[in-house]
Amino acid sequence: MPNDRTLSAAPDASGGGPASPSSHTPPKAAELPEVPKLMAGKRGLVMGVANDRSIAWGIATALHAAGAEMAFTYQGAAFGKRVLPMVEKLGSKIVEEADVENEESLDRLFARLQKEWGRLDFVVHAIAFSDKEELKGRYVDTTKANFQRSLTISCYSFTEIARRALPLMTEGGSLITLTYEGATRVMPSYNVMGVAKAALEASVRYLAADLGPQGVRVNAISAGPMRTLAGAVIGSARYVYRVSREASPLRRNVELTDVGGAGLYLLSDLSAGVTGTVHYVDAGYHAIGMPPSSGNGQNGDQNGE
């Protein structure tokens, strides 16, 4: 796998255009409350950090603030130069290069986790890929090679990581992955990634059923568009970002703290009875069938127009 490929092609990033005028001031993302002991004594693996705007990084910082100890992976030297200085600030002692298309690298990763920790409590899987050139056209024109590689990296890798992590989750645990609304509805320039995310969401349900008897929970976070490196490859990113902001009930796009808090919830004992779910963190956009005609609410202006 090329060392400089983008880890995720999901539209969780873009640059937004100006919002339409509104008489309401959209609410802002809240700062996470202090929960310093929630993850104390917990150890987990975080895969997919690319830079400090990555969703995986947002989740990792929330986990760190709650007392978790984490191991990190990076894919290729270019990403390593960015990730290593970041994770050092969190006191991480296990940082491994790992490529989900290279089983030997995964063997080394989990052998080290077994040797140095002996157990895992959680896994954050934030890895996806598709050829950005094929995201520009029609889904019907997706090549077989790109289809197979997109599904392997974006979907099957979560199953493979879950299988490898399971023997280390001797006291139960929690796994999360990242999906997007394009798995259930057609989104601009998403194409084969929508198919891959749909398969990933189905995998979450089947894995939850398989791993539940061992006390291991499996869930997905469906985040709205965000300004991250990953979403920059989406041709319609600016449009998607703007429409999501204007049409969502909260009238804003989500921030890393929003997703970080959701990740902390799903990986902690606060969600001990939750598994097999897709948890939406998109300011409510997924609940809207048709955007309102104005910024005043679902029923239009004061005259109902």
Side-chain angles (χ1 to χ4, degrees):
M1 186 189 303
N3 288 337
D4 60 349
R5 72 162 173 80
T6 303
L7 282 177
S8 172
D12 53 3
S14 68
S20 60
S22 171
S23 60
H24 300 283
T25 300
K28 297 181 179 179
E31 293 294 329
L32 287 178
E34 293 187 8
V35 282
K37 297 182 180 180
L38 184 59
M39 297 295 288
K42 301 289 188 181
R43 288 173 164 173
L45 172 65
V46 179
M47 307 181 73
V49 172
N51 60 21
D52 61 3
R53 295 299 302 168
S54 299
I55 290 179
W57 182 246
I59 295 173
T61 54
L63 291 168
H64 174 70
E69 183 178 0
M70 289 169 286
F72 290 86
T73 66
Y74 63 91
Q75 196 270 318
F79 284 111
K81 291 180 180 179
R82 302 174 189 166
V83 174
L84 288 171
M86 294 167 55
V87 301
E88 287 177 356
K89 296 179 181 179
L90 301 187
S92 180
K93 298 179 181 179
I94 301 179
V95 186
E96 280 283 324
E97 182 174 5
D99 184 335
V100 295
E101 290 186 294
N102 184 331
E103 292 192 5
E104 291 183 357
S105 72
L106 296 181
D107 289 341
R108 289 192 296 270
L109 168 64
F110 281 91
R112 184 175 178 185
L113 291 172
Q114 173 67 62
K115 179 180 179 181
E116 298 192 25
W117 282 356
R119 80 167 208 278
L120 272 179
D121 297 298
F122 62 87
V123 173
V124 177
H125 173 274
I127 297 173
F129 171 79
S130 185
D131 183 342
K132 65 180 181 181
E133 294 302 317
E134 295 202 14
L135 296 179
K136 296 178 180 178
R138 305 181 303 171
Y139 168 68
V140 71
D141 296 319
T142 301
T143 63
K144 182 178 181 180
N146 185 55
F147 182 94
Q148 291 177 330
R149 193 175 185 208
S150 298
L151 269 288
T152 296
I153 297 172
S154 309
C155 176
Y156 180 70
S157 66
F158 184 52
T159 296
E160 182 166 24
I161 295 302
R163 185 175 63 251
R164 290 172 178 270
L166 188 60
L168 296 176
M169 292 187 159
T170 55
E171 300 176 16
S174 178
L175 299 95
I176 61 172
T177 188
L178 301 180
T179 184
Y180 176 64
E181 183 66 9
T184 58
R185 294 190 289 179
V186 174
M187 292 294 179
S189 302
Y190 208 55
N191 296 344
V192 71
M193 281 304 303
V195 177
K197 292 297 187 181
L200 180 65
E201 291 185 9
S203 298
V204 166
R205 294 187 285 273
Y206 280 92
L207 287 169
D210 285 347
L211 309 189
Q214 189 171 316
V216 176
R217 299 179 293 108
V218 186
N219 295 287
I221 293 177
S222 183
M226 297 176 64
R227 288 190 175 95
T228 68
L229 175 67
V233 300
I234 302 300
S236 302
R238 291 180 180 272
Y239 171 74
V240 171
Y241 192 83
R242 176 176 59 80
V243 170
S244 177
R245 180 179 67 243
E246 295 176 357
S248 64
L250 292 180
R251 297 296 191 274
R252 69 174 177 87
N253 293 110
V254 295
E255 302 290 344
L256 286 182
T257 54
D258 297 313
V259 187
L264 177 60
Y265 162 72
L266 289 173
L267 295 172
S268 74
D269 293 337
L270 290 176
S271 60
V274 179
T275 193
T277 67
V278 175
H279 182 79
Y280 288 93
V281 185
D282 62 356
Y285 181 83
H286 71 282
I288 300 299
M290 182 178 293
S293 58
S294 73
N296 293 313
Q298 186 59 31
N299 296 319
D301 60 23
Q302 295 178 349
N303 297 319
E305 296 180 357

